Amino acid sequence: FNELAYFSGLEAIDDNAFNKSGIQEVTLPAKLKSIGMRAFYATPLRGIAIPESVESVGRAAFYACRVLERANIPSGMTEVPRQMFAGCWKLQSIVLPEGTTKIGDQAFLECFEMADVALPAVLDTIGESAFSKCNACTEMVMPQSVRCVGQSCFHTCENLAHVEIPEGVKVLDHMVFHSCHAMESFTVPSSIEQIGWFTFWDCINLRELILLPSVPPSVRTDNGSYTLFKDCPEDLVIRVPDVATYESDPYWSRYTGMFLPLE
């Protein structure tokens, strides 16, 4: 349906407009302003060029476009919508606009081939499962502006070896790094006040955890689980500002013998 380009006055594509259709190629009109929810859901699109005129994109607009390899986000958008490119197995890269302040929940879930993403300097929030199962991603450096990192954000990013979370983030939410098999070392910023359950579960190569908070972070155990480190290496070392403080904490005392002072 590449004839869509001839509808030069078209300003909006409605919700579900091409949902599960066989559309493989489309040129969007230059004056387009909005793309609705699930507009291209589960279509065989191989590439999409979203015009700079587009101001809003609905939830899951390109969800499950399994063979989509090329896509962009218009520079005027400040938020990546929920599930925008989730399930785009072949999407290899994306450039986030400089003004992006939020990456929505599951925005890039199961983008298996998407490599490292440069995060804009004004980004504030990374949503739940935003990069979960992005297996080609090896590094994620967050700007100092980030304040919220959602639950399961990097769940099963098997090749993610290096992650930097800035000071100012207060919560490492549940399962943020669950099954990050390539991670060998991680530094917890001094601003962290709470760590969720399963945060480091199945990090099978994590051998060093550096905890910068002088006050031991609380750890949520309301699901009945009492360890952060299931299936982590037995020789895991936890470096802390003061060993005695952590060994006297009601939760962290269970890891006595694993602590070493910060170097």
Side-chain angles (χ1 to χ4, degrees):
F1 197 71
N2 207 28
E3 292 84 357
L4 193 65
Y6 298 115
F7 291 84
S8 58
L10 186 67
E11 294 188 350
I13 295 177
D14 288 347
D15 295 349
N16 299 301
F18 298 98
N19 188 324
K20 296 184 179 180
S21 71
I23 190 169
Q24 298 182 25
E25 181 182 359
V26 62
T27 300
L28 301 180
K31 295 182 180 180
L32 191 68
K33 292 183 178 180
S34 66
I35 299 174
M37 293 189 301
R38 300 180 299 277
F40 294 93
Y41 176 87
T43 60
L45 277 176
R46 295 191 176 276
I48 187 72
I50 303 175
E52 286 297 304
S53 58
V54 170
E55 300 169 353
S56 67
V57 177
R59 175 172 57 87
F62 301 96
Y63 195 148
C65 291
R66 304 298 194 205
V67 296
L68 185 71
E69 297 178 353
R70 305 173 308 280
N72 70 297
I73 299 173
S75 59
M77 290 180 58
T78 60
E79 178 177 339
V80 182
R82 174 183 174 88
Q83 299 176 331
M84 183 173 182
F85 293 111
C88 293
W89 294 349
K90 297 292 184 180
L91 185 63
Q92 298 181 6
S93 65
I94 196 78
V95 176
L96 300 179
E98 293 181 0
T100 303
T101 59
K102 180 179 180 180
I103 298 174
D105 295 348
Q106 301 178 2
F108 301 104
L109 170 71
E110 294 184 347
C111 289
F112 300 130
E113 296 188 12
M114 191 168 71
D116 305 338
V117 178
L119 301 180
V122 297
L123 185 66
D124 176 84
T125 301
I126 303 176
E128 178 180 333
S129 301
F131 294 100
S132 180
K133 300 184 181 180
C134 290
N135 292 337
C137 187
T138 62
E139 180 179 51
M140 189 68 67
V141 178
M142 300 182 194
Q144 295 302 309
S145 58
V146 170
R147 290 295 177 268
C148 179
V149 180
Q151 176 177 332
S152 304
C153 186
F154 302 105
H155 184 280
T156 319
C157 289
E158 295 181 351
N159 292 298
L160 185 64
H162 179 68
V163 185
E164 292 183 16
I165 290 181
E167 293 290 342
V169 175
K170 294 184 178 181
V171 178
L172 277 183
D173 217 331
H174 317 310
M175 300 190 292
V176 168
F177 300 116
H178 192 300
S179 299
C180 288
H181 293 164
M183 184 182 293
E184 297 181 2
S185 178
F186 179 74
T187 299
V188 176
S190 61
S191 58
I192 293 294
E193 299 173 356
Q194 183 184 87
I195 299 177
W197 61 66
F198 304 157
T199 301
F200 299 103
W201 276 39
D202 197 36
C203 290
I204 57 176
N205 286 298
L206 183 67
R207 287 183 163 77
E208 180 184 59
L209 181 68
I210 301 172
L211 282 165
L212 297 182
S214 55
V215 176
S218 64
V219 179
R220 290 189 61 179
T221 58
D222 45 333
N223 72 332
S225 299
Y226 294 98
T227 179
L228 291 173
F229 307 112
K230 179 178 171 59
D231 296 327
C232 289
E234 293 183 0
D235 59 351
L236 171 66
V237 169
I238 305 174
R239 297 191 181 276
V240 296
D242 185 78
V243 172
T245 299
Y246 274 80
E247 287 185 340
S248 62
D249 180 83
Y251 178 84
W252 290 97
S253 61
R254 72 194 65 221
Y255 303 117
T256 296
M258 299 171 66
F259 297 114
L260 287 177
L262 291 175
E263 295 179 344

